[in-house]
Amino acid sequence: MNLEHELRQALKRKAPSKGFDEKVLGRIASGATVPVPAPETRWTRLALPVAASLVFALAGSYYVRQHERQQQVAQAEQAAREVVLALQIASEKVSAVQVKVQEISHHERQVEY
Amino acid sequence: MNARLNISGCVLLALLVFPAAASAQSARIQLDHLNRLAEKATETVDVTVDSAMLRQSAGFLAGRGNDGAKLQELIEGIRGIYVKSFKFGAPDAYADADVEAVRKQVAREGWSRIVGVREKRQLTEVYLWKEQNENGGLVVIAAQPNELTIVNIVGRVDLASLAALGPMIPKLGK
């Protein structure tokens, strides 16, 4: 019952505000126009997919570049590890030879005296 | 006959145009005959570092502080590092001929032995390759009953710096 009453109130015919007719006639007389949205062209329809593709392509190339950079860093790290290992072994052997030579020369000096 | 002459001419031209490359090759020794020892060894280290890898690692080592800088300085003149090291569970796993094959290569002109220590069943030798009166390569032979290590460095090596590297390397290896 209440709902019916509310609906009636809402849909009740209302008279336009005072001076409405004049306003409308005045506008028509002044030639004022309201911009009408331009109809969708082929390009406007393509803009979104093209933009999305560009974003995907940029993101993809960024990812590939990052991946390549990471690989380069990993390769450099591996190379450095190999260099360090090789030099470690070389250094150990040269040091061992130095110690042996020092021992021998020390022993020879002792024998001389 | 003509073809042979042409080939010889090309080789001669290459040697004249690229003398550094030719001498760099001379400081490199063949160690492939030792590969079969890996089957018998309990521990094998086989490192081949060429100039491209050295260049790659230089940038990485540059950011590793003072020790990295010293190591970078040392490897600046180096064009290649080749190491073969084998540890065996039992003695006499390798033949004398394996070592002799290496020694034969460093007996060539250009190489000079700077240290040679022969003890009971142990041999340690260091050979230097001279390149225009400068040190242009190194070979270390360390042979023990249970272990055989050959190090071949191609390029300019400062022996004192190399020997002094030892204490700083564990820090760099981390």
Side-chain angles (χ1 to χ4, degrees):
Chain A
M1 192 67 180
N2 202 11
L3 178 71
E4 195 185 325
H5 174 72
E6 278 175 21
L7 269 172
R8 256 172 219 264
Q9 281 295 317
L11 298 172
K12 206 165 118 182
R13 196 169 182 180
K14 282 180 189 166
S17 58
K18 206 176 172 189
F20 179 77
D21 301 353
E22 283 127 41
K23 267 192 219 167
V24 172
L25 290 172
R27 273 240 177 122
I28 292 166
S30 69
T33 54
V34 178
V36 180
E40 260 195 1
T41 64
R42 201 172 138 203
W43 293 112
T44 53
R45 252 179 285 138
L46 281 174
L48 189 66
V50 166
S53 306
L54 266 173
V55 168
F56 274 119
L58 284 173
S61 72
Y62 174 77
Y63 172 78
V64 169
R65 225 177 298 152
Q66 280 292 103
H67 186 66
E68 276 174 359
R69 204 171 296 163
Q70 275 173 357
Q71 269 187 329
Q72 278 173 355
V73 169
Q75 277 176 352
E77 213 174 311
Q78 178 62 26
R81 230 175 281 143
E82 299 249 307
V83 169
V84 166
L85 176 66
L87 287 175
Q88 187 176 24
I89 293 169
S91 175
E92 268 173 25
K93 297 300 168 194
V94 171
S95 300
V97 175
Q98 272 187 335
V99 169
K100 272 182 190 168
V101 170
Q102 277 167 2
E103 276 173 9
I104 292 165
S105 55
H106 180 71
H107 178 74
E108 279 175 355
R109 248 180 272 144
Q110 277 184 333
V111 171
E112 276 176 24
Y113 292 114
Chain B
M1 186 67 181
N2 267 349
R4 199 181 295 167
L5 269 176
N6 281 342
I7 292 165
S8 308
C10 287
V11 170
L12 191 65
L13 186 69
L15 287 174
L16 286 170
V17 176
F18 307 109
S23 57
Q25 286 308 309
S26 303
R28 170 102 193 254
I29 61 163
Q30 266 306 319
L31 300 172
D32 291 345
H33 68 283
L34 299 174
N35 289 347
R36 59 181 177 76
L37 295 177
E39 290 166 20
K40 299 179 193 173
T42 52
E43 206 181 307
T44 303
V45 178
D46 189 346
V47 182
T48 298
V49 179
D50 57 16
S51 54
M53 283 174 83
L54 281 163
R55 271 198 305 275
Q56 265 187 331
S57 64
F60 183 78
L61 291 168
R64 303 296 294 259
N66 201 24
D67 291 344
K70 278 181 189 165
L71 192 59
Q72 198 191 358
E73 201 177 300
L74 179 76
I75 64 172
E76 235 169 37
I78 297 175
R79 296 191 292 270
I81 309 172
Y82 310 92
V83 177
K84 289 207 190 278
S85 181
F86 308 96
K87 279 186 183 161
F88 306 100
D92 302 322
Y94 63 92
D96 287 346
D98 294 323
V99 181
E100 282 311 310
V102 177
R103 296 183 80 215
K104 205 180 259 181
Q105 293 181 66
V106 288
R108 288 194 321 249
E109 199 182 332
W111 286 103
S112 51
R113 192 175 69 176
I114 56 160
V115 182
V117 182
R118 191 183 274 274
E119 289 173 327
K120 261 188 184 173
R121 307 188 70 196
Q122 279 193 25
L123 172 75
T124 313
E125 289 180 321
V126 179
Y127 292 85
L128 276 184
W129 170 258
K130 286 276 173 194
E131 196 175 274
Q132 292 156 357
N133 279 335
E134 260 192 43
N135 166 9
L138 167 91
V139 166
V140 180
I141 302 173
Q144 290 169 16
N146 289 1
E147 196 180 329
L148 176 64
T149 302
I150 313 287
V151 178
N152 178 204
I153 298 178
V154 180
R156 198 177 63 248
V157 196
D158 180 8
L159 267 180
S161 306
L162 181 64
L165 263 186
M168 69 176 78
I169 275 180
K171 280 186 258 170
L172 287 159
K174 279 176 192 171

